Amino acid sequence: MDTQILNQLIEQLYTSEEGGLYRTFWGKRPEDFSTLPLLTPDILASTSLYDRTYSRDQGLVRSVATRGSEFLVKRSFVDIAHEHLPVPSGSRALVLTTNPDDALEYALWCYEHGSIPYYGDVGNVEVAVFCAEHFRTNVLITDNVTIASLITDARIPSMIELVVIIDRVHSSDQTPLLATERVLYLPETGCLGRIESTTDGLVLLEDGRVFAEVLDDTLVVTKANATTPLIRYKTEIAARVERDTIYLV
Amino acid sequence: MEKKDDLRPRFLTLLEDMFAHPPNAREVKQYRFMHTSGTTGIPLPVVCTGRRDCNPAFLGRGTRTLMLFGSKPLRLDFARTFADPDTPKSDIMFCSLTTSAQENERIWREWRPDAIASPPSVLLRFTRAWPENARAQVTSVILAGEFVSKVVSDIIHERFQHARIENYYPATETGLIGTQCSLCAWNEFHPVDGVTFSIHEPDADGRGDLLLSKENPGGIAFTDYRVGDVASESNHNGHRVIVLYGRRGFDYIKLAEALLVREEFDRVAMELERYIDDYRAELTTRIEDGVPKHHLTLQVIATPDATRTGQALADHLAAEVSSRLFVTPHSTLKDAVENEIFAPLTVLLVDTITHTTAKPQRLIRVDA
């Protein structure tokens, strides 16, 4: 995302007839992206959902809890479809995550990208795995808590060839004997990029829809979601920059 | 008569066809992976093509639709229907009874849903603390997924006086079975187009197993399929209607928040065989403070050599059964009592078990 696009985006938001968050938050018309104040979960929580809604596209509404704030978020179906997830087209994906709203988003994404999802209930893993075997699911979309539990209980369906771990926190642990992809994803932002495990740590790979910065050892992201664009959103994710590469700490 | 187990190989054949001829990227949208609840044994994995025929009933009812159905595959299917750009626009939110009071308040205060689709007992619980102005902004209530008793129906009408209230009769494996017109009583349904029905071996009151036949484009066809409900037949101006009485007569009782299975009662009784010689479990559902609460009564014939007797034995068995009996895959009756879904278990020590039906049943709903 280059500077010109970022400046166009903030001008659009400032003059938009929908929403009102940024006009209120920025006060005067912003002159330069780099001087914009940082948006935080607290500010999202103190702004009504309708003041944060910049598009009339229909979508999913869900609750989000960060460390200190809870608020409602709307994710339009268009925004969900535009995410980049490393799930191959033609696969059959078992989607099994602790948070049911996360799983629903990933399953909807699958349909838009040529994969048939089976949305399993993490509260009833036995049934989910039983049905996943019948459906011959070959990709598992999950989170860190769920994959740890599936490994401990030896319940990963037998035909799984790829595990995609989507979460807000990651470690460099490997999934035994299975190819694994990791994705950084926040419910309020959507996908922030794939993560690669290197000898120097976890690297956040570039995603064309996300502008990432590290300020005060924290990841700050800008993402032009249609419903609620996030401009300089200060995540609660610790990060550092080395040689233009962002590492998650 | 077709039973659920008869469907298993037919759904497997559909799956095998799909594996043999994998859909392309555009065709995947036609496929749905679902499963039945498993009330009659192990869950039935179901693959269907096309849209569920009951989903359009949930569209165009509001612009902010709150859905309280718990089934995950069902949630996905609803979300896909709402995501279709050709359908009337509505945002959608899925919640369950685990939603915190704070989050629940944020939903009615900030998001302000104007349509709700839900099993009836979940609806009553979820909206229990909603103030009058929050209920008044709801203009559409769609009920499905659970038998609606008259008392529950009356409370929903009273609570949502500004809403059009519709009640649908679907099943996961068959899709939509019946809808109601303005003349229908709370438990009467017109079979939808393509559905025919009969009543298997009706008793003196005309009640028996409901058998369905349905052409099912995108799925399998059903012929005299025992869907699992007891019904009789009535007539509205020359049109046959289904009169539904719930699932009485089988070895399980399905509730929105729990599933009582006779085998589970048998298991616990076996574990407590030192005390229990025979038993009968009866369920009634009463409305208390505006929400349904389930009351379970266990008639127990105690073993002759039980070391405790009288009230001490009854209290001991109530505590033991409550902590051992699972009413969901992860919750015991004790948990459900703590969550105020069930009243504390009542144990009655009896010499002879009273059976109110011709066929002695160990688990029965007595208020249907």
Side-chain angles (χ1 to χ4, degrees), chain B residues 110-178:
Chain B
E110 187 177 340
W111 188 51
R112 304 190 298 271
D114 55 3
I116 307 180
S118 173
S121 65
V122 178
L123 173 71
L124 288 180
R125 282 181 199 287
F126 194 89
T127 60
R128 180 187 201 170
W130 284 22
E132 178 54 36
N133 63 340
R135 294 173 187 176
Q137 68 200 6
V138 177
T139 56
S140 175
V141 170
I142 303 162
L143 305 173
E146 191 185 48
F147 178 72
V148 185
S149 67
K150 184 174 187 314
V151 65
V152 168
S153 171
D154 289 348
I155 289 176
I156 291 172
H157 278 83
E158 187 187 328
R159 188 174 291 184
F160 295 97
Q161 293 181 14
H162 302 277
R164 176 185 171 196
I165 296 169
E166 300 166 86
N167 189 11
Y168 288 91
Y169 178 27
T172 303
E173 64 275 31
T174 64
L176 190 58
I177 296 169

Side-chain angles (χ1 to χ4, degrees), chain A residues 9 12 33 67 97 100 106 128 142 162 165 194 200-201 215 227 236:
Chain A
L9 178 62
Q12 279 171 14
F33 177 82
R67 264 180 227 151
T97 67
Y106 309 153
T142 188
L162 171 67
I165 301 174
R194 283 173 51 224
D200 294 331
L215 299 170
T227 304
E236 294 164 333

Side-chain angles (χ1 to χ4, degrees), chain B residues 44-347:
Chain B
L44 175 65
V46 173
V47 59
C48 301
T49 58
R51 180 184 286 181
R52 285 175 85 238
D53 56 2
C54 45
N55 286 7
F58 296 81
L59 291 166
R61 299 298 192 269
T63 56
R64 298 175 301 279
T65 305
L66 176 64
M67 289 230 161
L68 302 175
F69 297 104
S71 160
K72 301 301 184 287
L74 201 60
R75 285 184 175 196
L76 174 58
D77 200 43
F78 280 127
R80 287 184 61 213
T81 302
F82 279 73
D84 185 338
D86 295 331
T87 58
K89 284 192 173 184
S90 174
D91 291 335
I92 184 171
M93 182 173 196
F94 294 94
C95 289
S96 67
L97 290 174
T98 58
T99 301
S100 70
Q102 198 178 15
E103 187 182 337
N104 192 328
E105 180 174 341
R106 195 173 297 122
I107 290 164
W108 63 255
R109 193 184 286 280
E110 187 177 340
W111 188 51
R112 304 190 298 271
D114 55 3
I116 307 180
S118 173
S121 65
V122 178
L123 173 71
L124 288 180
R125 282 181 199 287
F126 194 89
T127 60
R128 180 187 201 170
W130 284 22
E132 178 54 36
N133 63 340
R135 294 173 187 176
Q137 68 200 6
V138 177
T139 56
S140 175
V141 170
I142 303 162
L143 305 173
E146 191 185 48
F147 178 72
V148 185
S149 67
K150 184 174 187 314
V151 65
V152 168
S153 171
D154 289 348
I155 289 176
I156 291 172
H157 278 83
E158 187 187 328
R159 188 174 291 184
F160 295 97
Q161 293 181 14
H162 302 277
R164 176 185 171 196
I165 296 169
E166 300 166 86
N167 189 11
Y168 288 91
Y169 178 27
T172 303
E173 64 275 31
T174 64
L176 190 58
I177 296 169
T179 59
Q180 293 188 323
C181 72
S182 57
L183 297 176
C184 281
W186 47 277
N187 62 340
E188 293 180 334
F189 295 88
H190 291 275
V192 294
D193 285 347
V195 169
T196 56
F197 72 94
S198 61
I199 307 299
H200 182 63
E201 296 183 354
D203 63 14
D205 297 321
R207 300 179 185 190
D209 286 338
L210 176 64
L211 303 185
L212 291 177
S213 297
K214 184 177 183 183
E215 291 298 325
N216 220 16
I220 61 174
F222 300 87
T223 306
D224 288 335
Y225 171 60
R226 192 188 83 169
V227 71
D229 290 321
V230 170
S232 67
E233 179 182 335
S234 185
N235 193 297
H236 284 185
N237 299 327
H239 297 285
R240 297 171 71 217
V241 296
I242 301 165
V243 186
L244 205 58
Y245 301 99
R247 293 194 169 237
R248 188 172 59 171
F250 293 97
D251 288 340
Y252 57 89
I253 297 173
K254 186 179 177 187
L255 307 164
E257 312 93 331
L259 180 66
L260 306 183
V261 183
R262 199 255 299 156
E263 284 84 350
E264 174 64 3
F265 282 80
D266 286 349
R267 181 188 70 78
V268 173
M270 284 289 288
E271 285 181 8
L272 297 170
E273 62 182 351
R274 181 177 165 199
Y275 301 105
I276 299 176
D277 189 34
D278 198 4
Y279 77 89
R280 174 186 162 90
E282 291 186 345
L283 180 84
T284 52
T285 302
R286 299 176 204 144
I287 302 297
E288 296 172 11
D289 297 330
V291 296
K293 185 173 267 190
H294 308 305
H295 291 254
L296 198 55
T297 302
L298 209 59
Q299 293 181 47
V300 171
I301 299 178
T303 53
D305 52 349
T307 50
R308 301 169 199 236
T309 55
Q311 193 58 43
L313 176 59
D315 292 345
H316 179 68
L317 285 177
E320 287 294 320
V321 172
S322 296
S323 60
R324 293 166 189 252
L325 183 80
F326 280 84
V327 296
T328 77
H330 299 279
S331 308
T332 62
L333 177 59
K334 186 181 173 190
D335 301 327
V337 171
E338 285 169 359
N339 290 329
E340 300 186 350
I341 294 168
F342 278 77
L345 173 67
T346 302
V347 172

Side-chain angles (χ1 to χ4, degrees), chain A residues 28-94:
Chain A
K28 61 181 183 180
R29 183 182 290 265
E31 293 175 0
D32 180 55
F33 177 82
S34 63
T35 62
L36 289 175
L38 300 186
L39 185 67
T40 62
D42 284 348
I43 293 166
L44 293 181
S46 62
T47 308
S48 87
L49 177 64
Y50 293 101
D51 282 340
R52 288 184 268 123
T53 302
Y54 284 82
S55 152
R56 293 184 183 180
D57 291 337
Q58 63 259 53
L60 292 175
V61 176
R62 57 178 297 185
S63 284
V64 171
T66 63
R67 264 180 227 151
S69 306
E70 290 184 24
F71 48 93
L72 297 179
V73 160
K74 178 178 161 184
R75 297 268 295 145
S76 77
F77 297 119
V78 174
D79 282 333
I80 293 169
H82 282 168
E83 299 292 7
H84 295 161
L85 297 180
V87 176
S89 178
S91 60
R92 291 179 295 278
L94 166 60

Side-chain angles (χ1 to χ4, degrees), chain A residues 93-95 116-121 127-129 131-132 135 137, chain B residues 33-35 73:
Chain A
L94 166 60
V95 187
I116 308 178
Y118 165 56
Y119 177 5
D121 188 346
V127 168
V129 171
C131 292
F135 299 139
T137 55
Chain B
F33 289 154
M34 309 186 85
H35 59 80

